[in-house]
Amino acid sequence: MPFSSAAASDSGRRAPSSLWRDGDFRRLWVGQTASQLGEQASLVVLPLFAVLTLNAGAGQLGALRAAGQAPILLLSLFVGAWVDRWRIRTVMVLTDAGRALALGAAAVAALLGWLGLSALLVVAFAVGALSVFFDMAYQASLVRLVERDQLVRGNSALEGSRSAAQIGGPALGGALVSALSAPVAAASSAVFFALSFLSIRRMGRRESVPERSEGPPRLWRRIQEGLRFVAGEALLRTVCLASAAFQFFFAAAMTVYLLFLPRDLHLSGAAVGLVLAATGPGALLGSLLAARLPGRFGYGAVLVSAAALGDGVFLFVPALHGSSVVTVAALVAVNLVFGTFSQLVNVTVMAVRQSVTPDGMQGRAAATINFVGMGMTPLGSLLGGFLAEVWGTHTSLLVTAAGMLLSPALMALSPLARLGAPGAHVVDDA
């Protein structure tokens, strides 16, 4: 089947440089960057607060991470169906406001000494639920702003903003928890969501008012249409399976990793933030590579090789010991490599999904893939906490890192591996 979209014939209508002349695209880019900064900071702040302040154990940390990830499993399909029928800007600004309020309330509760583990679970779930709405709307927004032939460039730019957030977010979160306090760190995340709210709210492009009169039967029918579409498309079906394998084992590995860094290697909160922030420069490089490599080597070759390299580098982590400069440098290098190749996979997969999916199915296709893939993360987080308690962090890291390699293996055995550059053909085994 051809990878190029139906809009490919219009590729001459818009020059690449015009992408940044679009004020709405710039506002989306700024809002996405601020939103990702808030999200990346909170992903470090909440677990570190639980481990360092509340003395949470491996099982409790797994439960906390699962609480923040459970909304992906519970809500993705419904949200994807809703997003296709709502104004994108409205969804994004409301979710930004909600996350700012939730984290602001957490900061006040922590200052008053009321932020225990139970309250932290509620905050994590609320922020996770609102993030599902934002992410679904964000993924569906680009196709309404740019032409199909600009999707790779647009995704590369937006994913580059996420890379910048990955540089600053974890470092900021870890440094604030270490040097100041968890309330200040939570408040900083709330500020970033407020900035995203202000930027996206200024997007002026009018969207047609969607029809919202459909009841539950029609909503279920729309969800089923999305499920059938993804299941019937060989490329998207493979993306689902590979994403599920990666997200399950990656969530397990990260739960163990967040215990391994402060407790086994005795790294400070600032050092943990620095290590995690190293994925940011790598992701920025990966975004730049995604604009060039697939067109030169083909999407299939890039996806399989990048996934294998990015996932395989985590196998080196369990061999590290102590908190020396050499150990920190090695961890930074691991996260740099992981960030580069995982981002290359992310941008390329998004371009594949958007190019083979009709406009009216974008939200539901994204939601279905998100449901199958990211929906595995709460289960993975619980598994990581369980394995760390039973086997210890070193063995658990090795097992979960090896499990991540199932994702490139699935892609290598599928039609996705034979996918060429835009406009090329691939044998569809559906």
Side-chain angles (χ1 to χ4, degrees):
M1 61 171 289
F3 176 62
S4 57
S5 68
S9 60
D10 299 328
S11 60
R13 290 193 302 173
R14 184 177 296 189
S17 61
S18 67
L19 189 66
W20 289 103
R21 297 197 199 108
D22 188 325
D24 281 342
F25 178 80
R26 292 198 306 270
R27 294 181 187 104
L28 176 65
W29 183 86
V30 171
Q32 167 67 1
T33 302
S35 178
Q36 286 293 329
L37 274 171
E39 185 173 346
Q40 293 296 326
S42 67
L43 289 176
V44 174
V45 169
L46 298 184
L48 284 183
F49 182 75
V51 172
L52 300 176
T53 304
L54 301 180
N55 296 315
Q60 291 173 316
L61 181 60
L64 175 65
R65 284 174 49 79
Q69 297 158 344
I72 301 171
L73 182 63
L74 299 175
L75 301 176
S76 290
L77 292 178
F78 298 99
V79 173
W82 287 329
V83 161
D84 281 337
R85 310 297 295 172
W86 281 74
R87 287 177 174 147
I88 295 299
R89 190 191 69 153
T90 300
V91 175
M92 289 192 287
V93 297
L94 289 178
T95 53
D96 274 333
R99 289 185 291 182
L101 289 173
L103 286 170
V108 172
L111 285 169
L112 296 175
W114 297 343
L115 191 62
L117 186 59
S118 297
L120 209 58
L121 289 169
V122 173
V123 171
F125 183 87
V127 172
L130 292 168
S131 293
V132 171
F133 281 87
F134 184 92
D135 290 344
M136 289 297 101
Y138 153 66
Q139 291 185 49
S141 65
L142 191 61
V143 295
R144 303 190 188 186
L145 291 177
V146 304
E147 301 296 332
R148 288 289 180 110
D149 62 300
Q150 292 279 6
L151 284 175
V152 172
R153 290 182 178 273
N155 280 318
S156 180
L158 290 173
E159 290 298 307
S161 77
R162 189 162 73 96
S163 306
Q166 287 177 323
I167 297 171
L172 176 64
L176 289 176
V177 169
S178 179
L180 298 174
S181 64
V184 175
S188 69
S189 296
V191 169
F192 286 118
F193 288 129
L195 291 174
S196 178
F197 168 87
L198 293 173
S199 179
I200 293 175
R201 187 172 181 270
R202 294 181 61 238
M203 290 173 63
R205 185 164 301 179
R206 294 181 61 85
E207 297 181 53
S208 58
V209 179
E211 182 181 343
R212 302 172 190 165
S213 59
E214 60 190 30
R218 175 57 179 160
L219 180 63
W220 277 109
R221 189 156 58 247
R222 290 176 60 78
I223 291 173
Q224 290 169 2
E225 288 171 356
L227 290 168
R228 284 196 299 269
F229 174 75
V230 173
E233 168 57 59
L235 299 178
L236 299 185
R237 189 169 62 243
T238 301
V239 167
C240 273
L241 294 175
S243 176
F246 170 77
Q247 295 296 346
F248 177 76
F249 285 105
F250 180 65
M254 282 303 296
T255 299
V256 183
Y257 195 49
L258 288 171
L259 289 167
F260 180 71
L261 296 180
R263 291 190 175 171
D264 290 70
L265 299 184
H266 307 291
L267 300 185
S268 66
V272 172
L274 175 64
V275 167
L276 297 178
T279 59
L284 180 59
L285 176 59
S287 295
L288 296 175
L289 293 175
R292 298 177 178 274
L293 295 186
R296 181 174 181 180
F297 299 106
Y299 284 85
V302 169
L303 282 172
V304 174
S305 58
L309 290 169
D311 297 348
V313 73
F314 260 95
L315 291 170
F316 295 100
V317 174
L320 300 175
H321 299 277
S323 58
S324 66
V325 174
V326 174
T327 296
V328 173
L331 288 168
V332 167
V334 166
N335 281 271
L336 183 69
V337 172
F338 173 75
T340 298
F341 291 108
S342 63
Q343 187 75 334
L344 178 54
V345 172
N346 289 341
V347 176
T348 306
V349 162
M350 192 176 293
V352 171
R353 174 183 62 77
Q354 291 172 336
S355 295
V356 301
T357 303
D359 287 351
M361 191 69 68
Q362 288 287 341
R364 282 170 286 171
T368 300
I369 294 171
N370 210 47
F371 171 77
V372 176
M374 295 295 294
M376 297 300 293
T377 57
L379 302 178
S381 293
L382 292 173
L383 175 67
F386 172 77
L387 292 179
E389 285 186 334
V390 175
W391 291 345
T393 55
H394 283 84
T395 302
S396 299
L397 269 177
L398 185 61
V399 171
T400 53
M404 289 164 59
L405 291 172
L406 178 60
S407 177
L410 288 170
M411 287 192 285
L413 297 173
S414 76
L416 194 62
R418 302 191 294 278
L419 187 63
H425 290 255
V426 62
V427 178
D428 192 334
D429 296 335

